[in-house]
Short mmCIF file of all heavy atoms in Angstrom, two decimals:
data_model
loop_
_atom_site.label_atom_id
_atom_site.label_comp_id
_atom_site.label_asym_id
_atom_site.label_seq_id
_atom_site.Cartn_x
_atom_site.Cartn_y
_atom_site.Cartn_z
N SER A 45 -9.10 8.11 8.09
CA SER A 45 -8.45 9.18 8.68
C SER A 45 -8.29 10.33 7.69
O SER A 45 -8.27 11.48 8.14
CB SER A 45 -7.16 8.70 9.29
OG SER A 45 -6.22 8.24 8.23
N PHE A 46 -7.96 10.02 6.41
CA PHE A 46 -7.85 11.09 5.45
C PHE A 46 -9.08 11.75 5.25
O PHE A 46 -9.24 12.97 5.01
CB PHE A 46 -7.32 10.47 4.15
CG PHE A 46 -5.78 10.39 4.15
CD1 PHE A 46 -5.28 9.07 4.09
CD2 PHE A 46 -4.96 11.49 4.17
CE1 PHE A 46 -3.90 8.88 4.17
CE2 PHE A 46 -3.60 11.24 4.25
CZ PHE A 46 -3.03 9.93 4.20
N LEU A 47 -10.30 11.07 5.25
CA LEU A 47 -11.56 11.65 5.02
C LEU A 47 -11.90 12.61 6.15
O LEU A 47 -12.35 13.74 5.91
CB LEU A 47 -12.67 10.57 4.92
CG LEU A 47 -14.10 11.04 4.65
CD1 LEU A 47 -14.20 11.79 3.35
CD2 LEU A 47 -15.03 9.81 4.57
N LYS A 48 -11.59 12.15 7.37
CA LYS A 48 -11.86 13.06 8.52
C LYS A 48 -11.03 14.29 8.40
O LYS A 48 -11.47 15.47 8.62
CB LYS A 48 -11.57 12.31 9.80
CG LYS A 48 -11.84 13.08 11.07
CD LYS A 48 -11.50 12.29 12.26
CE LYS A 48 -11.75 13.13 13.50
NZ LYS A 48 -11.37 12.45 14.74
N LEU A 49 -9.71 14.19 8.02
CA LEU A 49 -8.86 15.38 7.85
C LEU A 49 -9.43 16.26 6.76
O LEU A 49 -9.50 17.51 6.88
CB LEU A 49 -7.46 14.95 7.48
CG LEU A 49 -6.53 16.05 7.14
CD1 LEU A 49 -6.23 17.02 8.23
CD2 LEU A 49 -5.21 15.48 6.55
N ALA A 50 -9.87 15.71 5.71
CA ALA A 50 -10.40 16.48 4.47
C ALA A 50 -11.55 17.35 4.99
O ALA A 50 -11.68 18.49 4.56
CB ALA A 50 -10.62 15.63 3.34
N GLU A 51 -12.40 16.67 5.78
CA GLU A 51 -13.66 17.28 6.19
C GLU A 51 -13.31 18.50 7.05
O GLU A 51 -13.80 19.53 7.03
CB GLU A 51 -14.63 16.42 6.85
CG GLU A 51 -15.29 15.42 5.88
CD GLU A 51 -16.02 14.26 6.48
OE1 GLU A 51 -15.88 14.16 7.82
OE2 GLU A 51 -16.70 13.48 5.80
N SER A 52 -12.31 18.24 8.02
CA SER A 52 -11.98 19.28 8.97
C SER A 52 -11.31 20.39 8.23
O SER A 52 -11.43 21.62 8.61
CB SER A 52 -10.98 18.71 10.03
OG SER A 52 -11.58 17.71 10.77
N LEU A 53 -10.41 20.04 7.30
CA LEU A 53 -9.76 21.10 6.54
C LEU A 53 -10.66 22.00 5.75
O LEU A 53 -10.63 23.20 5.66
CB LEU A 53 -8.71 20.53 5.54
CG LEU A 53 -7.36 20.03 6.29
CD1 LEU A 53 -6.55 19.29 5.19
CD2 LEU A 53 -6.69 21.22 6.91
N ASP A 54 -11.67 21.26 4.97
CA ASP A 54 -12.65 22.04 4.30
C ASP A 54 -13.44 22.97 5.13
O ASP A 54 -13.66 24.15 4.72
CB ASP A 54 -13.56 21.03 3.58
CG ASP A 54 -13.08 20.37 2.37
OD1 ASP A 54 -11.99 20.83 1.90
OD2 ASP A 54 -13.73 19.36 1.93
N SER A 55 -13.87 22.56 6.32
CA SER A 55 -14.66 23.40 7.24
C SER A 55 -13.78 24.60 7.72
O SER A 55 -14.23 25.77 7.73
CB SER A 55 -15.02 22.62 8.36
OG SER A 55 -15.67 23.44 9.31
N ALA A 56 -12.56 24.33 8.04
CA ALA A 56 -11.62 25.36 8.62
C ALA A 56 -11.42 26.43 7.43
O ALA A 56 -11.42 27.63 7.82
CB ALA A 56 -10.27 24.74 9.09
N ILE A 57 -11.12 25.94 6.28
CA ILE A 57 -10.83 26.85 5.21
C ILE A 57 -12.02 27.68 4.82
O ILE A 57 -12.08 28.88 4.60
CB ILE A 57 -10.18 26.11 3.99
CG1 ILE A 57 -8.86 25.61 4.26
CG2 ILE A 57 -10.24 27.05 2.68
CD1 ILE A 57 -8.21 24.69 3.26
N SER A 58 -13.25 26.98 4.78
CA SER A 58 -14.47 27.67 4.44
C SER A 58 -14.77 28.79 5.42
O SER A 58 -15.30 29.85 5.13
CB SER A 58 -15.61 26.67 4.53
OG SER A 58 -15.53 25.82 3.38
N ASN A 59 -14.36 28.57 6.78
CA ASN A 59 -14.64 29.47 7.72
C ASN A 59 -13.41 30.47 7.98
O ASN A 59 -13.37 31.25 8.93
CB ASN A 59 -14.90 28.77 9.07
CG ASN A 59 -16.18 28.04 9.15
OD1 ASN A 59 -17.19 28.56 8.61
ND2 ASN A 59 -16.26 26.86 9.61
N HIS A 60 -12.49 30.41 7.02
CA HIS A 60 -11.30 31.31 7.12
C HIS A 60 -10.51 31.14 8.42
O HIS A 60 -9.98 32.11 8.92
CB HIS A 60 -11.67 32.75 6.79
CG HIS A 60 -12.47 32.96 5.59
ND1 HIS A 60 -11.82 33.01 4.39
CD2 HIS A 60 -13.66 33.17 5.34
CE1 HIS A 60 -12.78 33.17 3.36
NE2 HIS A 60 -13.86 33.32 4.01
N ASN A 61 -10.60 30.04 8.98
CA ASN A 61 -9.95 29.60 10.22
C ASN A 61 -8.53 28.93 9.88
O ASN A 61 -8.38 27.83 9.92
CB ASN A 61 -10.76 28.78 11.13
CG ASN A 61 -10.21 28.66 12.42
OD1 ASN A 61 -9.01 28.85 12.68
ND2 ASN A 61 -11.01 28.12 13.37
N TYR A 62 -7.60 29.77 9.57
CA TYR A 62 -6.31 29.25 9.13
C TYR A 62 -5.44 28.71 10.17
O TYR A 62 -4.56 27.91 9.96
CB TYR A 62 -5.59 30.32 8.15
CG TYR A 62 -6.51 30.77 6.93
CD1 TYR A 62 -7.15 31.88 6.90
CD2 TYR A 62 -6.79 29.72 6.03
CE1 TYR A 62 -7.94 32.29 5.82
CE2 TYR A 62 -7.60 30.01 4.87
CZ TYR A 62 -8.12 31.28 4.86
OH TYR A 62 -8.94 31.65 3.80
N ASP A 63 -5.65 29.19 11.45
CA ASP A 63 -4.89 28.69 12.55
C ASP A 63 -5.28 27.17 12.68
O ASP A 63 -4.52 26.34 12.90
CB ASP A 63 -5.23 29.43 13.78
CG ASP A 63 -4.52 30.71 13.92
OD1 ASP A 63 -3.50 30.92 13.23
OD2 ASP A 63 -5.10 31.61 14.60
N SER A 64 -6.68 26.87 12.59
CA SER A 64 -7.12 25.47 12.63
C SER A 64 -6.59 24.63 11.50
O SER A 64 -6.21 23.52 11.66
CB SER A 64 -8.53 25.46 12.72
OG SER A 64 -9.09 25.92 13.91
N THR A 65 -6.59 25.33 10.34
CA THR A 65 -6.04 24.66 9.11
C THR A 65 -4.62 24.17 9.33
O THR A 65 -4.22 23.05 9.07
CB THR A 65 -6.10 25.43 7.88
OG1 THR A 65 -7.50 25.89 7.60
CG2 THR A 65 -5.59 24.81 6.70
N ILE A 66 -3.74 25.10 9.86
CA ILE A 66 -2.40 24.78 10.12
C ILE A 66 -2.26 23.71 11.10
O ILE A 66 -1.46 22.81 11.09
CB ILE A 66 -1.63 26.04 10.53
CG1 ILE A 66 -1.56 27.07 9.36
CG2 ILE A 66 -0.26 25.74 11.06
CD1 ILE A 66 -1.08 28.48 9.76
N ASN A 67 -3.07 23.78 12.24
CA ASN A 67 -3.07 22.82 13.26
C ASN A 67 -3.43 21.42 12.84
O ASN A 67 -2.81 20.51 13.12
CB ASN A 67 -3.93 23.23 14.49
CG ASN A 67 -3.32 24.35 15.31
OD1 ASN A 67 -2.09 24.54 15.21
ND2 ASN A 67 -4.08 25.12 15.94
N TYR A 68 -4.46 21.39 11.98
CA TYR A 68 -4.95 20.06 11.42
C TYR A 68 -3.76 19.45 10.57
O TYR A 68 -3.47 18.22 10.67
CB TYR A 68 -6.17 20.16 10.53
CG TYR A 68 -7.46 20.47 11.37
CD1 TYR A 68 -8.36 21.37 10.91
CD2 TYR A 68 -7.71 19.73 12.44
CE1 TYR A 68 -9.59 21.65 11.62
CE2 TYR A 68 -8.95 19.94 13.19
CZ TYR A 68 -9.80 21.02 12.71
OH TYR A 68 -11.01 21.16 13.47
N ILE A 69 -3.19 20.23 9.75
CA ILE A 69 -2.18 19.75 8.82
C ILE A 69 -0.97 19.34 9.67
O ILE A 69 -0.41 18.30 9.36
CB ILE A 69 -1.86 20.70 7.76
CG1 ILE A 69 -3.17 20.89 6.83
CG2 ILE A 69 -0.58 20.25 7.00
CD1 ILE A 69 -2.97 21.97 5.79
N THR A 70 -0.59 20.17 10.58
CA THR A 70 0.60 19.82 11.40
C THR A 70 0.41 18.53 12.10
O THR A 70 1.28 17.72 12.21
CB THR A 70 0.93 21.03 12.36
OG1 THR A 70 1.13 22.21 11.57
CG2 THR A 70 2.17 20.78 13.15
N CYS A 71 -0.75 18.42 12.86
CA CYS A 71 -0.99 17.12 13.48
C CYS A 71 -1.01 15.93 12.68
O CYS A 71 -0.49 14.87 12.98
CB CYS A 71 -2.28 17.19 14.29
SG CYS A 71 -2.30 18.36 15.75
N THR A 72 -1.50 16.12 11.45
CA THR A 72 -1.61 15.01 10.49
C THR A 72 -0.20 14.68 10.05
O THR A 72 0.18 13.47 10.04
CB THR A 72 -2.51 15.34 9.30
OG1 THR A 72 -3.76 15.72 9.71
CG2 THR A 72 -2.57 14.16 8.31
N ILE A 73 0.66 15.63 9.70
CA ILE A 73 2.02 15.38 9.29
C ILE A 73 2.72 14.70 10.38
O ILE A 73 3.41 13.76 10.18
CB ILE A 73 2.69 16.72 8.91
CG1 ILE A 73 2.10 17.21 7.59
CG2 ILE A 73 4.22 16.40 8.84
CD1 ILE A 73 2.58 18.56 7.21
N ASP A 74 2.58 15.06 11.69
CA ASP A 74 3.20 14.54 12.76
C ASP A 74 2.83 13.03 13.09
O ASP A 74 3.56 12.29 13.49
CB ASP A 74 2.95 15.29 14.13
CG ASP A 74 3.60 16.65 14.03
OD1 ASP A 74 4.60 16.84 13.17
OD2 ASP A 74 3.28 17.52 14.89
N GLN A 75 1.57 12.76 12.81
CA GLN A 75 1.00 11.39 13.17
C GLN A 75 0.98 10.44 11.87
O GLN A 75 0.89 9.29 12.03
CB GLN A 75 -0.47 11.52 13.63
CG GLN A 75 -0.43 12.24 14.96
CD GLN A 75 -1.86 12.55 15.43
OE1 GLN A 75 -2.87 12.03 14.86
NE2 GLN A 75 -2.00 13.21 16.54
N LEU A 76 1.01 10.99 10.70
CA LEU A 76 0.81 10.31 9.49
C LEU A 76 2.15 9.38 9.21
O LEU A 76 3.16 9.94 9.36
CB LEU A 76 0.53 11.16 8.29
CG LEU A 76 0.40 10.51 6.97
CD1 LEU A 76 -0.92 9.69 7.03
CD2 LEU A 76 0.23 11.51 5.91
N ASP A 77 1.92 8.21 8.98
CA ASP A 77 2.99 7.28 8.47
C ASP A 77 2.85 7.12 7.08
O ASP A 77 2.20 6.22 6.50
CB ASP A 77 2.97 6.02 9.23
CG ASP A 77 4.18 5.11 9.00
OD1 ASP A 77 4.87 5.43 8.08
OD2 ASP A 77 4.31 4.20 9.72
N ILE A 78 3.54 8.03 6.26
CA ILE A 78 3.47 7.99 4.84
C ILE A 78 4.05 6.72 4.26
O ILE A 78 3.58 6.13 3.32
CB ILE A 78 4.16 9.23 4.20
CG1 ILE A 78 3.33 10.44 4.54
CG2 ILE A 78 4.27 9.10 2.67
CD1 ILE A 78 4.06 11.84 4.21
N GLN A 79 5.05 6.24 4.85
CA GLN A 79 5.70 4.96 4.56
C GLN A 79 4.70 3.85 4.57
O GLN A 79 4.61 3.04 3.69
CB GLN A 79 6.90 4.77 5.39
CG GLN A 79 7.55 3.44 5.06
CD GLN A 79 8.84 3.27 5.87
OE1 GLN A 79 9.58 4.18 6.12
NE2 GLN A 79 9.05 2.05 6.25
N GLU A 80 3.92 3.79 5.72
CA GLU A 80 2.94 2.76 5.85
C GLU A 80 1.89 2.81 4.75
O GLU A 80 1.47 1.81 4.08
CB GLU A 80 2.24 2.90 7.19
CG GLU A 80 1.16 1.78 7.38
CD GLU A 80 0.29 1.96 8.60
OE1 GLU A 80 0.64 2.91 9.44
OE2 GLU A 80 -0.54 1.12 8.83
N LEU A 81 1.43 4.07 4.46
CA LEU A 81 0.45 4.31 3.42
C LEU A 81 0.90 3.81 2.03
O LEU A 81 0.32 3.11 1.29
CB LEU A 81 0.04 5.68 3.33
CG LEU A 81 -1.02 6.13 2.21
CD1 LEU A 81 -2.22 5.32 2.36
CD2 LEU A 81 -1.17 7.64 2.26
N LEU A 82 2.21 4.19 1.69
CA LEU A 82 2.76 3.76 0.39
C LEU A 82 2.96 2.14 0.34
O LEU A 82 2.67 1.64 -0.69
CB LEU A 82 4.17 4.37 0.32
CG LEU A 82 4.97 4.03 -0.95
CD1 LEU A 82 4.17 4.47 -2.13
CD2 LEU A 82 6.36 4.63 -0.95
N MET A 83 3.36 1.57 1.48
CA MET A 83 3.41 0.14 1.50
C MET A 83 2.10 -0.42 1.26
O MET A 83 1.98 -1.48 0.52
CB MET A 83 4.12 -0.31 2.75
CG MET A 83 5.51 0.08 2.99
SD MET A 83 6.58 -0.75 1.69
CE MET A 83 7.74 0.52 1.52
N VAL A 84 1.09 0.04 1.99
CA VAL A 84 -0.31 -0.56 1.75
C VAL A 84 -0.72 -0.47 0.29
O VAL A 84 -1.36 -1.39 -0.28
CB VAL A 84 -1.31 0.09 2.74
CG1 VAL A 84 -2.71 -0.34 2.46
CG2 VAL A 84 -0.85 -0.34 4.16
N LEU A 85 -0.57 0.77 -0.30
CA LEU A 85 -1.04 0.89 -1.64
C LEU A 85 -0.20 0.05 -2.62
O LEU A 85 -0.87 -0.56 -3.54
CB LEU A 85 -0.81 2.44 -2.06
CG LEU A 85 -1.78 3.44 -1.31
CD1 LEU A 85 -1.31 4.92 -1.62
CD2 LEU A 85 -3.17 3.19 -1.70
#
Side-chain angles (χ1 to χ4, degrees):
S45 65
F46 279 112
L47 181 58
K48 182 179 178 184
L49 170 65
E51 290 170 351
S52 297
L53 286 173
D54 283 347
S55 174
I57 290 170
S58 293
N59 294 318
H60 305 285
N61 189 343
Y62 301 109
D63 286 334
S64 290
T65 302
I66 292 167
N67 287 335
Y68 289 134
I69 292 173
T70 301
C71 288
T72 301
I73 290 169
D74 292 344
Q75 295 174 5
L76 181 65
D77 188 346
I78 294 173
Q79 180 175 320
E80 178 187 1
L81 177 60
L82 177 62
M83 290 297 142
V84 170
L85 292 171

